[in-house]
Amino acid sequence: MSKLQFKNKWVLVTGASSGLGEEMARQLAFQHGANLILLARRKDKLKQLKAELEKEAKVSVKIIVADLSKLDDVDGAIDQLLADGQLYGAILNAGVTYFGKHSELSWEQFQTMLQTNVVSVVQFTSSLVSHFEATGKEGGILIVSSLAGILPVPYQSVYSGTKSFILSFATALAHEIKNKQFSLSVYAPGGIVTEMTAGENFHDLQGWLMPVKQAAKEGINAFRSRKLVHIPGVMNRVGNFFLKFLPKRLIMGKMGKVYEKSMVKAEQRNSKP
Ligand SMILES: NC(=O)c1ccc[n+]([C@@H]2O[C@H](COP(=O)([O-])OP(=O)(O)OC[C@H]3O[C@@H](n4cnc5c(N)ncnc54)[C@H](OP(=O)(O)O)[C@@H]3O)[C@@H](O)[C@H]2O)c1
């Protein structure tokens, strides 16, 4: 299968208003000449990015303002995407986390996380795969999961579950696809410097995070090369390999302690007058 070529092709990026999605959109425009469909809830941020990319990178950009925790918004976005038959690629990147004690996660927060990280991803993927199977056109989807989907993280238990779901779903579905011009890939980064990790609880974990430019570059390369699953960063890949030989209970216990310490320190900072 030849590599994906994004030049002058339309590529959707969900969660393009900040972090990894915003940076992937920038690199797709500046380095690959892709036309972009940027999706998120914050219209002002999307409009700003659209103006920048059209002016500086000379590509065409459309925006879709949608809340992916709402089924109707996702259906509406899918209708727009498939209306002209021009879609070439999709990066399903939008996601939310919760870092804290599971007992303090509200039912509403849980449902929002499930809808955004899982249900919308399944909705998009199912419709786009059907479209590419029916048309036989060239293209691909990159689903942004997380290392937490491979090795679950204490204090992000629902988030880890959502990321495991989409990893399993996509890697299994990839083997059902008959269109040889189309690929379904999964990207599983460890921590990245973005809005998601800017919260107080992540303060003491900053040293573990990857710069967003590097995470975006590796993600796009994996997408272009149609990798089934890609973990960015040599240390993450080596770590993930050796973790298979160690008891998960031990590793997760250690991680739980580190995360707990970071949360306790955040609490202490917040309670200082
Ligand atoms: N940062 C990390 O350490 C890390 C590690 C591994 C994987 N990831 C994954 O990478 C992806 C991007 O995260 P990030 O780190 O770049 O976080 P981020 O900076 O917080 O960006 C999240 C993006 O998702 C969008 N989004 C959130 N809820 C949405 C909703 N209901 N409807 C539409 N868009 C929504 C946000 O846009 P609006 O707020 O404008 O809607 C934003 O553009 C996520 O799937 C995350 O799980 C992140």
Side-chain angles (χ1 to χ4, degrees):
M1 217 191 280
S2 60
K3 283 189 177 183
L4 291 169
Q5 299 293 344
F6 300 119
K7 193 158 181 58
N8 297 326
K9 304 277 178 48
W10 284 97
V11 180
L12 165 76
V13 181
T14 71
S17 61
S18 68
L20 184 61
E22 180 182 348
E23 184 55 33
M24 280 181 155
R26 278 216 168 80
Q27 293 188 14
L28 280 169
F30 283 104
Q31 281 146 37
H32 299 275
N35 295 323
L36 293 163
I37 305 159
L38 308 174
L39 185 152
R41 290 166 302 182
R42 285 172 289 177
K43 190 177 181 180
D44 51 336
K45 293 245 178 196
L46 294 180
K47 278 175 78 177
Q48 224 175 317
L49 185 59
K50 171 180 159 69
E52 178 197 326
L53 299 183
E54 285 180 338
K55 184 163 178 249
E56 311 285 336
K58 314 269 182 256
V59 296
S60 300
V61 180
K62 297 178 195 169
I63 60 176
I64 299 179
V65 178
D67 182 343
L68 300 184
S69 69
K70 297 183 175 149
L71 293 175
D72 288 350
D73 277 24
V74 183
D75 283 338
I78 292 168
D79 288 346
Q80 286 186 61
L81 287 173
L82 298 181
D84 63 2
Q86 296 292 308
L87 189 72
Y88 180 77
I91 299 183
L92 304 179
N93 157 79
V96 281
T97 192
Y98 163 81
F99 182 10
K101 290 180 189 153
H102 178 69
S103 57
E104 290 170 10
L105 178 78
S106 71
W107 187 248
E108 199 189 342
Q109 280 174 300
F110 162 69
Q111 282 186 314
T112 301
M113 214 184 324
L114 199 63
Q115 290 290 342
T116 310
N117 295 8
V118 174
V119 179
S120 82
V121 173
V122 175
Q123 269 177 291
F124 273 118
T125 308
S126 306
S127 299
L128 300 189
V129 167
S130 296
H131 167 78
F132 280 96
E133 286 286 74
T135 58
K137 285 188 175 175
E138 184 179 314
I141 298 176
L142 179 75
I143 289 180
V144 179
S145 173
S146 167
L147 258 188
I150 298 171
L151 185 73
V153 182
Y155 302 104
Q156 285 190 288
S157 48
V158 168
Y159 174 75
S160 301
T162 65
K163 293 296 173 179
S164 291
F165 182 107
I166 56 177
L167 176 73
S168 296
F169 162 67
T171 47
L173 178 58
H175 292 281
E176 291 184 29
I177 293 169
K178 300 281 183 260
N179 178 354
K180 300 284 179 232
Q181 308 293 316
F182 179 80
S183 48
L184 179 54
S185 305
V186 182
Y187 190 44
I192 312 166
V193 184
T194 66
E195 280 182 16
M196 184 175 273
T197 50
E200 267 293 298
N201 282 350
F202 284 99
H203 186 272
D204 278 40
L205 307 173
Q206 294 297 316
W208 293 12
L209 306 180
M210 178 180 274
V212 71
K213 280 192 189 338
Q214 184 190 342
K217 187 174 174 193
E218 280 208 41
I220 292 171
N221 283 342
F223 187 26
R224 275 193 73 212
S225 315
R226 302 176 183 273
K227 291 225 170 129
L228 182 59
V229 179
H230 184 69
I231 298 171
V234 178
M235 290 315 287
N236 283 337
R237 285 195 290 279
V238 171
N240 184 56
F241 177 79
F242 284 109
L243 283 176
K244 290 182 190 127
F245 304 103
L246 296 167
K248 270 198 171 176
R249 196 185 175 86
L250 180 82
I251 305 296
M252 287 170 62
K254 292 256 181 257
M255 281 172 62
K257 289 225 163 63
V258 172
Y259 277 50
E260 201 173 347
K261 204 168 146 195
S262 183
M263 285 162 48
V264 170
K265 281 195 175 174
E267 250 174 56
Q268 286 168 348
R269 275 192 302 275
N270 284 338
S271 62
K272 273 189 187 156

